[in-house]
Amino acid sequence: MEETLNQLRAEALAEIAAAENEQAVEAARVKYLGRAGSISMLSEGMKTLSKEEKPRIGKLLNEVRGQVTAALDARKGALEETRDAAAFADIDTTLPGAAEWRGALHPMTLLLDRAVGIFRRMGFALADGPDIETEWHCFDALNTPPDHPARNEQDTFYLPDGRLLRTQTSTIQIRTMESQPPPVRIIGPGAAYRRDEIDATHLAQFTQMEGLCVDEGVTLADLKGTVEFFFRELLGDKVGVRFRPHFFPFTEPSFEIDIKAPALGDRWLELAGCGMVDPAVFDAINSRRGDHAYDPERVSGWAFGFGIERLAMIISAVPDIRYFVENDVRFLEQFR
Ligand code: DAH
């Protein structure tokens, strides 16, 4: 029996060493270790041995089984390694990987999110209105008479039914006051449209952000404080804010807002319009609502309108407004 075992061991190890593929290794495993395999058969034969022989042969049997198992595992591992190495042979693992391309928010979205965030902290709510508007919401209610040049067909996109693409987000003021009584504190970002020649500083569609505050005892000082706080938050403590007298039909008095900041070359830049809501606007709202919720004797208000592209161009030193709509990733990728 001992001799048979030694022979079997030599035969098994030689066969395993010569196995050329994983199937051959598996066949050898079945042949030597399987239930009907030679080593298992020999274990059966243990029963016939004498008491003296049993421990010695038993030990040898375990030893052979262990060696054959180890040889099978080792051969299988070696074959797997060869197979893996062959699979990688044609791949240059030193090549730089192809990084996954990730999208990002548009620079205008990034700025709008910040601007909206600052006003929300001051208690302003978000408001909106339709891009396709009635003449009443865009002009009449905003104290802009029919002969005002802003209503000219050269300046505005009219639809066949008489409606138009809003030329300013000031329509959002009107929509808000129509549907809710004071107090009002809203900001309304959105698209505005003008029949402008497209060039480095003009698009036919651009973005504005409107602000409106109406309550009892609201003054120009509140407007100045709010606007100054906004620009400090956006551009830092060193920013200068200047109100320059101007004219808008829907505010009285009216101003243009100029700002100056070290980061912007310390020049005064015109950025927005604002003023105290004209009582004529409140009158128009009241007659639409059929009440006196916006009684000019009781409430007052201020409003402003920013051009967002202009602000983004100044903050990010963008020389041409058209970059914002051309969707050139080389431009957009600079704002992650
Ligand atoms: N709507 C004006 C424009 O498009 C900007 C503006 C000026 C908005 C004064 C206002 C305001 O709310 O009070 O030029």
Side-chain angles (χ1 to χ4, degrees):
M1 180 116 182
E2 188 175 345
E3 201 174 316
T4 321
L5 263 171
N6 283 331
Q7 246 174 40
L8 191 62
R9 162 160 58 190
E11 189 190 315
L13 293 181
E15 189 170 332
I16 293 164
E20 271 179 7
N21 52 41
E22 285 164 73
Q23 289 89 316
V25 175
E26 198 43 42
R29 184 187 303 277
V30 173
K31 178 169 170 193
Y32 295 103
L33 298 178
R35 275 218 286 152
S38 355
I39 291 173
S40 315
M41 298 303 274
L42 283 175
S43 309
E44 284 292 302
M46 287 279 290
K47 284 186 217 131
T48 61
L49 294 175
S50 65
K51 258 193 193 133
E52 296 75 45
E53 273 184 316
K54 253 186 194 162
R56 199 168 47 80
I57 300 295
K59 192 166 164 249
L60 180 61
L61 191 67
N62 279 335
E63 196 181 291
V64 172
R65 189 187 286 115
Q67 285 171 342
V68 171
T69 306
L72 283 164
D73 291 347
R75 185 70 193 137
K76 187 164 180 240
L79 285 167
E80 273 171 4
E81 251 175 59
T82 316
R83 178 165 49 95
D84 289 350
F88 279 112
D90 292 338
I91 297 174
D92 181 355
T93 52
T94 65
L95 276 176
E100 193 181 326
W101 197 85
R102 290 172 129 227
L105 292 177
H106 190 279
M108 289 287 294
T109 307
L110 292 172
L111 175 60
L112 265 179
D113 284 353
R114 274 186 72 203
V116 168
I118 295 169
F119 279 107
R120 290 192 87 122
R121 291 215 307 282
M122 290 191 275
F124 285 75
L126 263 183
D128 65 4
D131 290 21
I132 298 174
E133 263 297 5
T134 64
E135 273 198 271
W136 188 81
H137 287 91
C138 199
F139 297 122
D140 301 270
L142 286 158
N143 197 31
T144 307
D147 59 355
H148 193 283
R151 298 174 74 139
N152 196 298
E153 278 178 28
Q154 288 351 297
D155 295 325
T156 309
F157 296 100
Y158 284 91
L159 275 76
D161 65 5
R163 288 183 302 162
L164 47 79
L165 296 181
R166 68 180 178 202
T167 57
Q168 51 188 353
T169 49
S170 303
T171 54
I172 297 174
Q173 298 180 26
I174 304 303
R175 293 265 168 198
T176 304
M177 289 189 281
E178 254 186 310
S179 63
Q180 72 172 79
V184 169
R185 269 171 170 263
I186 55 112
I187 41 163
Y193 305 82
R194 292 200 194 154
R195 221 159 156 148
D196 274 335
E197 210 57 64
I198 292 172
D199 62 23
T201 52
H202 295 88
L203 290 173
Q205 180 191 330
F206 57 102
T207 314
Q208 288 189 332
M209 188 170 72
E210 199 75 12
L212 174 69
C213 172
V214 182
D215 201 352
E216 289 179 27
V218 167
T219 70
L220 190 58
D222 301 320
L223 169 58
K224 273 203 104 174
T226 306
V227 168
E228 277 176 18
F229 179 82
F230 171 71
F231 282 113
R232 288 227 178 91
E233 287 296 292
L234 196 68
L235 298 167
D237 280 344
K238 301 234 158 46
V239 71
V241 180
R242 180 168 82 175
F243 277 40
R244 197 158 32 76
H246 196 74
F247 173 79
F248 294 104
F250 35 90
T251 41
E252 179 59 34
S254 304
F255 305 90
E256 285 204 312
I257 304 172
D258 298 338
I259 63 156
K260 189 172 90 158
L264 315 177
D266 248 340
R267 293 174 291 129
W268 287 107
L269 296 156
E270 177 193 318
L271 218 71
C274 70
M276 300 304 291
V277 179
D278 194 302
V281 174
F282 288 146
D283 288 343
I285 297 289
N286 286 333
S287 51
R288 211 10 114 97
R289 292 173 56 96
D291 63 16
H292 273 89
Y294 288 86
D295 181 357
E297 298 298 322
R298 195 174 59 83
V299 296
S300 53
W302 52 252
F304 63 73
F306 294 148
I308 301 295
E309 279 86 357
R310 176 131 175 77
L311 191 56
M313 285 171 79
I314 291 168
I315 290 178
S316 305
V318 174
D320 192 317
I321 195 170
R322 289 169 289 198
Y323 286 141
F324 289 126
V325 292
E326 280 171 351
N327 281 342
D328 185 334
V329 285
R330 292 168 302 178
F331 169 74
L332 297 171
E333 272 181 336
Q334 299 172 48
F335 298 90
R336 294 165 172 274

